[in-house]
Amino acid sequence: MFTTTQEASTRPLVNASHSVLAYPAILAGHRTIQEAMGDGSINTYLRTFLTTTGKSLASMALSDDVEEPIVQLLNCLSKPVEGDSLSHLCRDGASRLQEFVIPTLLDRLKQGKDISSLAFLLAAYGHYLQAGVDDKGQNYLVDEPQLTDADWTMLKEGDILSVLTISPLAPANLRSYPQFVAPYRSYRNQIACYGLAFSLKQTLCAFWEEDAELHKGATA
């Protein structure tokens, strides 16, 4: 999909996109990449996420050339091999989030930028870890080799903020950022009470509001 030169700088984009797609999609009841990319809301979320945060993700890899890689990545995901499983993308999410998403989240928090999309992603991941059942009432298996027995004991106690202190995510100290905890908690409650689709609509609205502000600033 990418040249050797592009591979290192686009790796954050690729790995982040897998998490962005996987957890909302599996909670919505999808089980293959093909099904997920055919869901208009999830497809829009993925595209908008990469467009709005792509430069931040690429900057972690010292690259500003993100337009072409994003297009290539979306084209690739839009044409998956039939039957490609979402469970493969979900596996070991803690490691991918720790390496490819949390640095971007911390960077945006320090700069005072909107973090709604990232709060939603971590809320979807947290619900995925703790619920075990999707919006359609179907069970799914969680495969997280980096989580310890202590992590699972903490998660099973049911506190929605406990996800932020599992071993791979604990060093980020996300609970110390009220501007993150508030939307994270809100998204978790929305997903639990109203399902993934409702919560996804809320984060898409936040995306569009942020995009409007960016355009306003650019034309001011």
Side-chain angles (χ1 to χ4, degrees), residues 157-217:
E157 291 176 355
D159 179 6
I160 61 175
L161 295 183
S162 63
V163 174
L164 306 180
T165 52
I166 58 176
S167 301
L169 305 187
N173 197 23
L174 292 174
R175 294 182 73 156
S176 69
Y177 294 93
Q179 66 271 45
F180 167 78
V181 171
Y184 170 84
R185 188 191 294 275
S186 176
Y187 284 131
R188 283 297 306 267
N189 288 333
Q190 288 175 10
I191 293 172
C193 294
Y194 306 114
L196 186 283
F198 176 88
S199 186
L200 180 54
K201 288 179 181 178
Q202 303 307 303
T203 199
L204 286 174
C205 287
F207 264 140
W208 294 325
E209 288 174 4
E210 179 189 8
D211 188 56
E213 288 300 315
L214 288 174
H215 284 301
K216 184 189 298 182

Side-chain angles (χ1 to χ4, degrees), residues 29-75:
H30 303 306
R31 290 297 180 268
T32 67
I33 297 174
Q34 189 175 43
E35 290 175 1
M37 292 301 288
D39 184 317
S41 294
I42 290 174
N43 192 309
T44 298
Y45 172 60
L46 175 61
R47 290 173 181 273
T48 312
F49 183 100
L50 291 176
T51 300
T52 57
T53 65
K55 292 187 183 299
S56 296
L57 287 162
S59 69
M60 300 297 169
L62 305 179
S63 171
D64 293 322
D65 182 17
V66 297
E67 302 297 336
E68 183 180 350
I70 287 175
V71 171
Q72 291 183 35
L73 176 57
L74 290 170
N75 286 340

